[in-house]
Amino acid sequence: MTATTLEPATRQEAATVEFRELRRRFGTTVALDGLDLTVRPGEFLALLGPSGCGKTTALRMLAGFEHPDSGAVLVDGEDVTGVPSHRRDAGMVFQSYSLFPHLDALDNVAFGLRMRKVRTAERRARAAELLDLVGLADKRERFPHQLSGGQQQRVALARALALRPRVLLLDEPLSALDAKVRLSLREEIRRLQQELGITTLFVTHDQEEALSMADRVAVMHAGRLEQCAAPAELYGRPATAFVAEFVGTMSRVPARIEDGTAHVLGRRLPVDGPVPAKDTAEVDVLVRPEAVGVAADADGDARVIAAAFLGAATRLTVRLADGTEVKADLSTHDAAGIGAGTAVTVTLPDRPVLVAERKG
């Protein structure tokens, strides 16, 4: 095989990724149940959901490590479902780093280039360029055991980018790191992704990571896609009760549906989304803490049972007359004097509400 000439580590044409009706079972467990999803060129898309929802299975199918029972994976319109993993042109970064302990940082990054018979000088130059890109130019001669967890993950990222993959796959790459390093590295990953313009899929169960990093977030549950939207839309206009409660904090307030509207806390509010077929259904209204109004009121029928200082905001836990507990976020200034034991009145804003089946 002749030696390969490298292109510079600059922006490249981004790929489109499509999952079409993917289904996969492991025994009696349904991992994917008809997944349909398109990742746009150059997009950073997060697959978010609880353990066992199918997000990692979908990622591994794109990488070629798993194969669907039915359905197809396409990259730029080409069906790659049956293409071996080493020919998928995808770079993958794992949670566990997976660095070679006997190689220094430079040789770890250059490993894939060596397998492709790239000339020594060129692959070392490319590896050095990528280590500089991830801020580790001065650590090139260090071995994995001489690097911190965050530094090891940066080496793993540089190695994944070395072959200029059409797609970058990140499988919970930050979950093994401490909070401060996670925050720093997620900002670095996002910066690099935008700089290189590479189509990226990021698997996580951490909603904060997904919302802060991704262009769009695909929320999965029991092998199915619940909603795929920009972070602000996902948070502010969740399509289902599962999305509403999985993304961010959400309280349930008992309500009653009459004439297509929700009767809750003495108000009639329009329903956002499907209205229960039964006209007088007992339901729960789902509300974010920042949407709940709380005011001290000696005659109020609700009572504050806890107050947590969060800096600019204070989170109150309020027990309603029927025993329901509701979270409310007030500015710390407005929450002054409203401590545990305070009688209060609770209100909701005059806007559509999402309803769900009554729990219990």
Side-chain angles (χ1 to χ4, degrees):
M1 179 181 286
T2 58
T4 302
T5 300
L6 288 175
E7 299 176 30
T10 54
R11 202 173 182 88
Q12 64 190 80
E13 186 175 347
T16 299
V17 173
E18 298 175 75
F19 297 112
R20 291 187 181 173
E21 281 292 312
L22 288 183
R23 287 183 164 81
R24 184 71 166 99
R25 280 179 174 268
F26 296 99
T28 60
T29 302
V30 178
L32 290 176
D33 188 14
L35 176 64
D36 270 312
L37 179 64
T38 297
V39 189
R40 301 162 184 163
E43 182 175 38
F44 191 118
L45 186 135
L47 293 174
L48 175 68
S51 297
C53 71
K55 57 188 186 297
T56 294
T57 300
L59 194 78
R60 290 175 62 83
M61 283 185 181
L62 179 53
F65 301 147
E66 297 282 354
H67 300 284
D69 297 326
S70 63
V73 178
L74 288 81
V75 177
D76 281 340
E78 177 188 356
D79 189 341
V80 298
T81 312
V83 175
S85 59
H86 66 278
R87 293 176 52 201
R88 291 288 180 101
D89 203 8
M92 191 155 182
V93 179
F94 300 92
Q95 173 184 343
S96 58
Y97 320 139
S98 300
L99 299 179
F100 298 109
H102 62 290
L103 299 180
D104 63 22
L106 188 75
D107 286 337
N108 260 287
V109 175
F111 181 80
L113 301 172
R114 189 176 77 185
M115 293 298 98
R116 292 196 180 182
K117 308 299 183 183
V118 175
R119 287 186 291 269
T120 300
E122 290 185 73
R123 70 173 183 254
R124 291 180 68 83
R126 174 59 180 252
E129 179 184 13
L130 285 161
L131 285 174
D132 182 53
L133 194 67
V134 299
L136 292 177
D138 59 337
K139 304 290 191 300
R140 55 188 293 173
E141 296 181 354
R142 296 197 180 181
F143 291 85
H145 73 274
Q146 297 172 315
L147 300 171
S148 68
Q151 290 170 340
Q152 290 183 57
Q153 197 58 290
R154 287 170 188 260
V155 174
L157 179 61
R159 184 177 62 184
L161 294 170
L163 296 176
R164 294 181 55 82
R166 295 159 75 190
V167 182
L168 178 63
L169 309 178
L170 306 171
D171 188 10
E172 304 214 37
L174 309 180
S175 60
L177 305 173
D178 64 49
K180 185 175 181 179
V181 175
R182 274 204 312 271
L183 179 60
S184 172
L185 195 50
R186 77 187 189 198
E187 292 173 351
E188 183 71 9
I189 288 172
R190 182 58 167 147
R191 180 190 66 79
L192 286 171
Q193 187 272 336
Q194 290 178 319
E195 184 176 321
L196 298 174
I198 187 170
T199 304
T200 300
L201 270 75
F202 179 89
V203 162
T204 182
H205 63 272
D206 186 318
Q207 55 180 279
E208 184 180 325
E209 281 182 2
L211 296 176
S212 65
M213 295 176 70
D215 296 309
R216 287 190 301 155
V217 179
V219 180
M220 297 183 64
H221 176 53
R224 300 187 68 86
L225 180 65
E226 292 274 329
Q227 184 177 5
C228 184
E233 180 182 350
L234 198 75
Y235 184 87
R237 294 291 303 276
T240 67
F242 176 83
V243 174
E245 295 188 283
F246 188 79
V247 178
T249 300
M250 190 71 80
S251 295
R252 284 177 171 255
V253 182
R256 184 178 180 82
I257 299 296
E258 289 184 9
D259 301 323
T261 60
H263 292 241
V264 54
L265 296 179
R267 305 193 66 182
R268 293 182 59 177
L269 299 175
V271 174
D272 185 11
V275 178
K278 188 177 179 181
D279 190 47
T280 58
E282 301 289 336
V283 298
D284 284 337
V285 165
L286 304 177
V287 292
R288 297 284 186 202
E290 61 270 22
V292 179
V294 175
D297 182 353
D299 297 322
D301 59 2
R303 193 167 296 274
V304 176
I305 60 174
F309 175 72
L310 304 177
T314 293
R315 174 160 294 176
L316 305 177
T317 302
V318 180
R319 181 172 291 144
L320 305 181
D322 64 0
T324 302
E325 293 185 6
V326 178
K327 304 290 187 185
D329 287 352
L330 274 63
S331 72
T332 295
H333 177 270
D334 292 341
I338 307 179
T342 304
V344 295
T345 298
V346 176
T347 58
L348 297 180
D350 186 14
R351 63 185 187 217
V353 292
L354 186 69
V355 299
E357 292 184 6
R358 175 75 57 85
K359 280 192 174 180

